[in-house]
């Protein structure tokens, strides 16, 4: 067997030039693969950090950890960096690792179909052009398709309306009455920014969320010089952030050890009490579910913005849109000049709207009719040589997703090496391995706060938690260290 030859000829298609796709391409190149095509719908790299340009957009994971372990950056301006610098990090990464030349920009893949006879994937783009690949990798993640609820009258609104993840900078907000629908991590970042310029803000909150302090800090030249001095300094800092966050994972268990959940709740309650003096507003902003069931908001300036006289917090959702505003759940019309949908993403639909067909024409939608699931979050039985990065049950509520994606890349490359071996060509996770894995995942998730009573993007409509990993990042690292080949079968074309 001459594996080098096979590595050199294995055709790899990656969907998406965001954080996962770029990291995968860089590591695949390092491993000796060279026939790599990255299909990117937009005109540039960066994924979510290119799409989201709302005021105040930033990361709610500290930047020294929200970056690849193999591409440390001593130059972060803030502990929690803002979108322009994060986007630049990924753009610079694409240049340094020479990934751009593998990118096919403005190419949206609409269908991927496994060819049983040829043992390969056929990809079709929106223009109808087809491409062939031996291995298909999705770097689309969980939060790439914005969700705007289809309210009656949506198209009748006369003012400007847009989703937070597709911010329309041409809509002037200065002095205007602006309705913000939703209060998740996106809203919490842009509300303090636009509150300063709008005439009036109507903040519709169907269910207020728990919020903890952020403790933003800038890194001055001295701090950057310290980090630049030696890699171990950043690595030590990364290790501490990761270990502390993993220790705090206990706060997300229903039987929380060491009183961690109570401490988390007390911290959030104190934050609200410290920042909101008005008891009526405080009451409105007090959640009715356990902290962590939805992602905990992290902000120093969200509550103070909501307490400003030009903001009305309405503890209700909306029912409809009119030409002049929105109808609240209380049946009243609230007139406004602009509507901002901070209503999140189609998080549980994963690869949708793309159509994916596996062995014998099996559709992924059909395979996932009871909710998305994958083996180790990456492989789906019946879909050979397909690997999902940031796939089902790999999201975190407490630590950096980049850690998880790096573990996935490490595991996936071992699988692709297997595929490249002489006489293999295609592998598929066995139905029994996939079932056993997901039974275990769901039984562990039942012990976490994500399975408790709240509406969140971690669950599908039936209430199954399809998005989150059940443990610490170190648990997932162990899970993905080395493939057990008895979990896979070799597929003969
Ligand atoms: O979306 P969300 P997001 N009527 O789904 C409400 C990541 N992120 O964009 O809670 C009325 O959290 C919904 O109400 P409810 C991060 O992982 C990362 O804010 O369902 N309201 C909720 O308030 C985050 O978790 C960064 O009752 C409706 C809101 O809309 C994820 O993105 C920064 C509604 C949606 O909140 C999503 O955050 C920003 C309806 N029909 C975001 N439908 C980083 O820093 C929904 N809502 C990495």
């Amino acid at each position: 067997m001459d594996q080098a030859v096979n590595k050199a000829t294995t055709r790899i298609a990656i969907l998406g030039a965001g954080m996962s796709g770029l990291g995968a391409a860089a590591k695949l190149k390092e491993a000796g693969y060279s026939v790599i095509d990255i299909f990117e719908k937009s005109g540039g790299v960066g994924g979510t950090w290119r799409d989201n340009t709302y005021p105040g957009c930033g990361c709610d994971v500290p930047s020294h950890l929200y970056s690849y372990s193999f591409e440390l950056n001593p130059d972060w301006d803030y502990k929690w960096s803002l979108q322009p610098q994060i986007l630049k990090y990924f753009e610079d990464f694409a240049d340094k690792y020479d990934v751009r030349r593998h990118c096919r920009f403005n190419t949206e893949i609409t269908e991927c179909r496994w060819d049983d006879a040829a043992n390969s994937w056929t990809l079709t783009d929106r223009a109808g052009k087809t491409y062939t690949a031996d291995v298909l990798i999705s770097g689309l993640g969980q939060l790439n398709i914005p969700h705007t609820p289809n309210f009656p009258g949506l198209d009748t609104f006369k003012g400007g309306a847009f989703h937070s993840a597709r911010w329309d900078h041409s809509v002037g907000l200065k002095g205007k009455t602006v309705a913000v629908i939703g209060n998740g991590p996106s809203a919490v970042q842009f509300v303090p920014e636009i509150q300063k310029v709008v005439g009036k803000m109507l903040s519709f909150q169907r269910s207020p969320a728990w919020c903890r302090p952020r403790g933003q800090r800038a890194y001055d030249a001295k701090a950057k010089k310290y980090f630049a001095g030696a890699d171990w300094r950043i690595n030590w800092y990364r290790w501490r952030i990761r270990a502390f966050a993993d220790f705090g994972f206990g706060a997300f268990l229903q039987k929380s050890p060491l009183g961690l959940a109570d401490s988390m709740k007390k911290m959030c309650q104190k934050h609200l009490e410290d920042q909101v003096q008005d008891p009526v507003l405080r009451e409105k902003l007090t959640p009715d579910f356990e902290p962590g069931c939805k992602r905990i908001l992290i902000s120093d300036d969200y509550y103070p913005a909501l307490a400003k006289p030009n903001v009305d917090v309405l503890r209700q959702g909306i029912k409809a849109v009119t030409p002049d505003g929105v109808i609240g759940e209380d049946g009243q019309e609230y007139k406004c000049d602009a509507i901002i949908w901070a209503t999140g993403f189609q998080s549980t639909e994963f690869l949708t709207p793309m159509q994916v067909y596996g062995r014998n024409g099996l559709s992924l939608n059909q395979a996932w009719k009871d909710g998305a699931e994958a083996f180790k979050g990456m492989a789906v039985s019946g879909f050979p040589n397909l690997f999902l990065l940031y796939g089902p049950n790999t999201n975190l509520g407490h630590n950096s997703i980049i850690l998880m994606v790096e573990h996935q890349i490490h595991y996936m490359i071992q699988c692709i090496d297997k595929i490249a071996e002489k006489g293999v060509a295609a592998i598929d996770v066995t139905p029994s391995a996939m079932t056993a894995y997901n039974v275990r995942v769901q039984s562990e998730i039942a012990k976490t706060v994500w399975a408790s009573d709240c509406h969140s993007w971690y669950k599908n409509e039936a209430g199954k938690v399809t998005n989150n990993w059940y443990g610490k990042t170190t648990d997932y690292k162990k899970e993905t260290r080395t493939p057990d080949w008895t979990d896979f079968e070799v597929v003969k074309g």
Side-chain angles (χ1 to χ4, degrees):
M1 182 198 68
D2 183 354
Q3 194 182 58
V5 171
N6 288 314
K7 275 193 175 185
T9 55
T10 302
R11 298 160 298 176
I12 302 175
I14 301 177
L15 307 176
M19 173 266 286
S20 314
L22 294 176
K27 282 288 169 187
L28 281 162
K29 281 161 67 95
E30 184 185 282
Y33 294 92
S34 54
V35 190
I36 302 169
D37 281 309
I38 307 177
F39 296 89
E40 169 55 48
K41 182 166 75 169
S42 78
V45 303
T48 191
W49 297 107
R50 189 172 187 276
D51 293 340
N52 283 265
T53 62
Y54 58 77
C57 182
C59 193
D60 56 13
V61 174
S63 296
H64 285 93
L65 195 61
Y66 191 86
S67 37
Y68 301 110
S69 63
F70 55 94
E71 186 54 32
L72 304 177
N73 178 18
D75 287 325
W76 293 112
D77 288 335
Y78 294 99
K79 179 174 179 187
W80 317 85
S81 292
L82 301 177
Q83 175 264 343
Q85 195 179 19
I86 301 171
L87 177 59
K88 184 166 183 313
Y89 171 83
F90 288 114
E91 288 178 337
D92 290 349
F93 179 94
D95 291 332
K96 179 170 172 185
Y97 290 83
D98 194 19
V99 173
R100 279 182 205 270
R101 72 187 170 84
H102 297 273
C103 291
R104 293 174 182 266
F105 292 115
N106 303 306
T107 308
E108 182 185 0
I109 299 300
T110 53
E111 186 190 280
C112 299
R113 193 176 279 277
W114 177 252
D115 182 330
D116 289 304
N119 260 350
S120 62
W121 284 96
T122 303
L123 286 63
T124 308
D125 72 15
R126 189 158 285 292
K129 193 170 169 199
T130 58
Y131 313 83
T132 310
D134 302 305
V135 173
L136 176 61
I137 300 168
S138 167
L140 300 179
Q142 302 191 357
L143 302 166
N144 66 325
I145 310 276
H147 163 65
T148 304
N150 189 18
F151 289 112
L154 192 63
D155 296 334
T156 65
F157 184 61
K158 289 190 295 199
F162 54 86
H163 191 279
S164 62
R166 300 290 181 272
W167 197 272
D168 185 344
H169 293 273
S170 71
V171 176
L173 300 177
K174 193 168 176 198
K176 304 283 191 207
T177 298
V178 178
V180 175
I181 318 298
N183 51 286
S186 299
V188 94
Q189 293 184 342
F190 73 75
V191 160
E193 300 301 317
I194 67 168
Q195 174 275 324
K196 296 171 203 154
V197 296
V198 301
K200 185 166 190 62
M201 182 188 297
L202 306 167
S203 169
F204 284 88
Q205 307 206 4
R206 192 164 66 171
S207 47
W210 293 103
C211 181
R212 69 178 182 84
R214 190 184 199 193
Q216 178 64 299
R217 58 174 283 208
Y219 291 117
D220 58 15
K222 197 172 153 203
K224 290 181 188 179
K225 194 171 165 202
Y226 169 78
F227 284 127
D231 279 356
W232 69 261
R233 294 176 180 163
I234 302 183
N235 281 326
W236 169 233
Y237 186 41
R238 281 171 64 92
W239 185 87
R240 281 185 321 182
I241 306 168
R242 177 179 184 161
F244 185 70
D246 263 357
F247 171 75
F249 174 76
F252 298 89
L253 291 170
Q254 297 204 21
K255 285 188 187 158
S256 176
L258 307 168
L260 287 168
D262 279 349
S263 303
M264 175 76 81
K265 190 168 186 174
K266 280 187 190 133
M267 175 171 62
C268 295
Q269 282 169 330
K270 182 170 183 313
H271 190 44
L272 177 61
E273 282 159 21
D274 288 349
Q275 293 203 312
V276 176
Q277 309 311 319
D278 174 2
V280 177
L281 180 58
R282 222 187 251 175
E283 178 62 29
K284 272 190 200 172
L285 291 171
T286 301
D288 56 8
F289 55 88
E290 289 308 305
C293 184
K294 302 178 204 269
R295 194 175 175 95
I296 294 179
L297 307 177
I298 301 178
S299 177
D300 299 331
D301 50 6
Y302 183 56
Y303 285 145
L306 294 180
K308 287 284 188 309
N310 67 337
V311 180
D312 275 353
V313 174
L314 298 132
R315 189 167 173 157
Q316 58 176 310
I318 66 165
K319 288 204 296 199
V321 179
T322 68
D324 300 311
V326 297
I327 308 276
E329 278 171 352
D330 60 3
Q332 190 185 323
E333 182 177 26
Y334 294 85
K335 291 197 191 301
C336 57
D337 305 303
I339 303 173
I340 303 174
W341 302 105
T343 41
F345 299 86
Q346 296 178 26
S347 56
T348 57
E349 293 174 26
F350 293 87
L351 303 185
T352 311
M354 195 173 63
Q355 297 297 311
V356 182
Y357 300 94
R359 290 165 85 178
N360 303 312
L362 174 68
S363 117
L364 192 58
N365 285 339
Q366 181 61 22
W368 281 353
K369 63 182 185 332
D370 298 324
E373 54 183 31
F375 180 69
K376 317 249 178 198
M378 285 180 269
V380 184
S381 185
F383 297 81
N385 294 7
L386 168 66
F387 300 96
L388 312 175
L389 299 174
Y390 192 13
N393 295 113
T394 63
N395 181 57
L396 301 173
H398 76 291
N399 216 322
S400 173
I401 190 62
I402 294 189
L403 298 170
M404 300 292 274
V405 169
E406 281 199 38
H407 297 324
Q408 288 159 14
I409 292 171
H410 169 77
Y411 182 93
M412 177 187 78
I413 290 181
Q414 294 176 73
C415 292
I416 298 175
D417 286 348
K418 180 64 138 182
I419 290 163
E421 277 179 18
K422 195 170 181 184
V424 178
I427 59 170
D428 191 6
V429 63
T430 64
S432 58
M434 170 126 170
T435 303
Y437 177 81
N438 282 291
V439 166
R440 176 160 63 86
V441 165
Q442 288 302 322
S443 86
E444 291 296 327
I445 278 178
K447 300 174 192 165
T448 68
V449 72
W450 302 305
S452 65
D453 190 19
C454 77
H455 182 269
S456 83
W457 66 262
Y458 304 153
K459 296 175 187 158
N460 69 5
E461 281 186 7
K464 177 177 172 182
V465 178
T466 53
N467 291 59
N468 279 17
W469 170 239
Y470 65 75
K472 299 174 183 171
T473 61
T474 45
D475 298 327
Y476 191 70
K477 183 178 182 181
K478 275 185 219 136
E479 190 80 51
T480 52
R481 194 162 277 149
T482 324
D484 175 347
W485 299 120
T486 62
D487 292 330
F488 291 88
E489 62 175 311
V490 173
V491 177
K492 297 289 173 204

